[in-house]
Amino acid sequence: MSPASTASPHSPTPPKILILTGDAAESLEVLYPYQRLLEEGYEVHIAAPTRKKLQFVVHDFEPGFDTYTEKAGYTWPADLAFSEVDPGQYVAVVIPGGRAPEYLRNDAELRKILKSFFDADKPVAQICHGPLLTAAIDGLRGRRVTAYPALEIDMQSAGATFQDTEAVVDGTLVSSRAWPDHPAWMREFLKVLRAKSPVT
């Protein structure tokens, strides 16, 4: 499924990017960066609590509802369990939103993985409810971020300055509000990636 599988024996191994997610992640927020980064030439792996077929969801708005509704979305296999991840093999990490971050932030393996990316100042792309994970490792203190607007108080509680805009870049951390902001989010993340770990 990855570009590496079609590479010739003499081709350089493409840099690897990790996506941290689980059941009830927002379908578009997993699959858009997954496919866009593959298109760019990176090798992309999806890690979840266990290696299994994940059930993603679709969050949308319906008349008469004060908040979003949730419907079943696409399914997709996880390449790795969190316990199998070697963060040193990856140049960057992507954190999709949806409902998954709410329970994933309690996973000690995930927190250990994510902390290693922040400690090494590697590029991190987070969107929607994804910043709940970076908040759980105290990775947002003193940073500028955006997130799903309902998380403004959570971001402030985590010590971040919240900005309600398409994409916010703070060093190697690139955040966005939700899937309608994908073009701005990936455009800014790819600028960071091309500077730090370009595909050769």
Side-chain angles (χ1 to χ4, degrees):
M1 303 272 300
S2 71
S5 62
T6 59
S8 74
H10 304 293
S11 298
T13 302
K16 296 178 183 177
I17 296 177
L18 187 66
I19 297 179
L20 296 172
T21 195
D23 287 324
E26 165 60 52
S27 295
L28 285 172
E29 293 172 2
V30 179
L31 295 176
Y32 178 79
Y34 178 79
Q35 293 176 326
R36 181 64 189 89
L37 293 166
L38 287 176
E39 178 187 23
E40 192 71 13
Y42 291 92
E43 184 175 341
V44 186
H45 296 161
I46 295 176
T50 58
R51 194 190 290 220
K52 67 167 191 171
K53 182 184 283 189
L54 299 170
Q55 176 66 63
F56 300 145
V57 299
V58 173
H59 286 157
D60 206 351
F61 291 87
E62 300 288 348
F65 279 73
D66 291 332
T67 187
Y68 53 80
T69 60
E70 183 172 287
K71 303 173 180 68
Y74 294 107
T75 59
W76 200 265
D79 299 300
L80 299 163
F82 293 150
S83 61
E84 299 174 302
V85 171
D86 174 3
Q89 292 187 4
Y90 297 92
V91 300
V93 65
V94 176
I95 309 165
R99 197 157 36 85
E102 181 183 9
Y103 68 90
L104 291 177
R105 59 185 166 174
N106 297 311
D107 189 299
E109 289 287 343
L110 178 142
R111 293 196 306 269
K112 183 171 67 174
I113 293 166
L114 197 51
K115 188 174 185 306
S116 72
F117 282 92
F118 275 82
D119 288 348
D121 196 32
K122 292 180 180 179
V124 176
Q126 59 183 13
I127 191 166
C128 198
H129 284 72
L132 290 174
L133 298 184
T134 50
I137 62 160
D138 199 29
L140 301 182
R141 193 167 306 280
R143 310 291 292 262
R144 292 178 300 106
V145 301
T146 193
Y148 188 68
L151 267 60
E152 180 175 0
I153 293 173
D154 300 87
M155 297 299 95
Q156 291 168 346
S157 296
T161 299
F162 179 82
Q163 298 179 342
D164 188 0
T165 189
E166 283 185 319
V168 174
V169 181
D170 187 314
T172 55
L173 177 64
V174 182
S175 53
S176 196
R177 294 174 300 190
W179 61 260
D181 296 333
H182 275 164
W185 182 47
M186 278 294 108
R187 184 165 53 244
E188 294 302 327
F189 186 52
L190 283 166
K191 287 179 189 175
V192 174
L193 278 176
R194 288 167 185 152
K196 295 275 285 187
S197 298
V199 175
T200 56

